[in-house]
Amino acid sequence: MTDDHGGRVRTTDEALADRFEEHRPHLRAVAYRMLGSPAEAEDAVQETWLRLGRSDTADVRNLGGWLTTVTGRICLDLLRSRTARREQPIGEDSTFVPDPVVRPLSAVDPEQEALRSDAVALALLVVLETLEPAERLAFVLHDLFAVPFEDIAGIVERSPAAARQLASRARRRVQGATPSAERDLARQRAVVDAFLAASRAGDFEALVAVLDPDVVLRADAGAKVRGLAASKLVRGAREVAGQSLLFRHFAPYARVALVGDAVGVVNVVDGRLVSVMAVTVVDGRVVALDILADEERVAALDVPDLASLEPAHPAAPDAPDAPDAPGGPGGPGDLDGRGA
């Protein structure tokens, strides 16, 4: 179809598709914080698009709000289904680590970083996993995206007052478990470098000095791995330092990257990503190390241009051949499931 000047006239479906694409980054941000998985977030956003195509939106005045509500409802259903399938609920002592977003540190524009849909701390996602589905939805939509409780109430099928209570309970959990982390990337990098240098040197006291006394290490290697490289939760500076020293010979494979919204470490062996470690820094010390080393989940991460990731130290390009089953803090993980 053309107009009077021979130009192509856009159809109603094309115009709606354009409007949806304008909202896609926001919807992806909502879904990622709800689900803790970039891949699942994309699926939820795609389902939102399909539902939009099947709906009559002629009377919808706020398309962005309508789409956010639909995405929230889809994510809530997914969370409830996920919770029903689990044999045990995820609690504070769980070793589960959500799927992080990993990007080259060199590609970061600090002024634009806060605007990115994937700029979210992995430590926050870890805590969100411990919430009930309705609590998570109320907190994410209201506290992170300013959705009114009146709108949230319709999604969770409760009153606005009850929705407010859900968010309040979630907020207390989140505030109690997520300290105010360092936001400056340069200061984060200095602490991460100090941690890696002490680990490489085998300097136990230097490691303890860079770790907060109450540091928590959470390593998720998946259900198949046993032995030394199995999933674990370790608390305390001296205990975490000891774990780090056990795996210091894997330091040559370390690369520095942006993991979520902070400087972290990934391990790359023969051009293949094998583990990701998020580092939370508060007042110049490491308060949390969250490691994903589950082979299947790590392989599914969409990490652009691994070759561009910055080596954690100059010796990385000359690293020796990789052993069969590396693992541990910052280490690739027990890739064949044999354990130590």
Side-chain angles (χ1 to χ4, degrees):
M1 181 183 299
T2 60
D3 58 20
D4 294 339
H5 303 286
R8 183 174 178 274
V9 176
R10 297 182 60 75
T11 66
T12 301
D13 288 345
E14 289 174 329
L16 187 61
D18 286 345
R19 294 181 65 192
F20 179 82
E21 289 303 318
E22 292 175 2
H23 294 286
R24 182 183 288 273
H26 168 78
L27 300 177
R28 186 188 302 118
V30 171
Y32 180 46
R33 286 154 180 77
M34 281 292 299
L35 301 172
S37 164
E40 291 185 4
E42 287 290 352
D43 290 343
V45 172
Q46 186 61 24
E47 177 61 24
T48 302
W49 162 246
L50 294 176
R51 294 191 186 186
L52 175 62
R54 297 192 298 264
S55 303
D56 182 3
T57 57
D59 295 330
V60 175
R61 296 183 178 181
N62 179 2
L63 182 62
W66 187 90
L67 292 170
T68 299
T69 298
V70 172
T71 299
R73 186 172 289 112
I74 292 169
C75 290
L76 180 61
D77 290 342
L78 289 171
L79 285 176
R80 285 171 171 167
S81 176
R82 183 193 296 175
T83 301
R85 292 196 305 268
R86 284 174 178 154
E87 294 182 0
Q88 295 181 342
I90 291 179
E92 294 181 359
D93 293 332
S94 169
T95 59
F96 179 79
V97 175
D99 294 348
V101 174
V102 181
R103 290 174 288 121
L105 193 59
S106 59
V108 175
D109 179 353
E111 294 183 359
Q112 297 297 318
E113 184 58 28
L115 303 178
R116 292 186 58 94
S117 63
D118 52 15
V120 55
L122 193 63
L124 172 61
L125 295 179
V126 168
V127 178
L128 292 180
E129 288 289 336
T130 69
L131 302 178
E132 293 296 324
E135 291 177 344
R136 184 168 185 168
L137 179 131
F139 174 81
V140 168
L141 291 189
H142 180 267
D143 285 39
L144 303 185
F145 295 99
V147 176
F149 286 120
E150 289 75 13
D151 295 346
I152 296 172
I155 303 175
V156 297
E157 299 179 338
R158 304 187 191 187
S159 68
R164 185 185 300 272
Q165 287 299 315
L166 288 172
S168 178
R169 288 200 300 267
R171 191 179 306 118
R172 289 194 295 269
R173 293 276 296 277
V174 170
Q175 291 175 345
T178 54
S180 180
E182 173 64 61
R183 302 303 306 160
D184 185 83
L185 293 180
R187 288 195 286 269
Q188 292 175 15
R189 175 67 187 271
V191 175
V192 171
D193 285 346
F195 171 82
L196 293 174
S199 180
R200 287 195 306 271
D203 191 332
F204 181 81
E205 294 303 327
L207 271 172
V208 171
V210 79
L211 297 171
D212 184 86
D214 298 317
V215 62
V216 176
L217 180 147
R218 179 177 283 101
D220 185 350
K224 299 178 181 178
V225 178
R226 298 291 184 269
L228 192 63
S231 299
K232 59 177 65 69
L233 185 73
V234 182
R235 301 180 187 274
R238 301 189 75 83
E239 291 75 11
V240 172
Q243 287 288 319
S244 301
L245 290 182
L246 287 175
F247 299 96
R248 68 180 184 271
H249 48 290
F250 298 114
Y253 310 106
R255 302 287 187 272
V256 179
L258 198 73
V259 179
D261 70 341
V263 178
V265 180
V266 303
N267 279 271
V268 180
V269 177
D270 296 332
R272 182 168 59 99
L273 181 69
V274 289
S275 70
V276 180
M277 180 171 74
V279 184
T280 304
V281 176
V282 175
D283 295 332
R285 289 187 174 184
V286 176
V287 300
L289 297 169
D290 293 299
I291 304 168
L292 179 63
D294 184 312
E295 181 180 6
E296 292 183 2
R297 291 174 57 205
V298 169
L301 295 178
D302 181 15
V303 181
D305 196 8
L306 278 175
S308 70
L309 297 181
E310 181 181 345
H313 60 95
D318 299 322
D321 291 338
D324 289 336
D334 188 358
L335 302 183
D336 59 8
R338 294 175 304 181

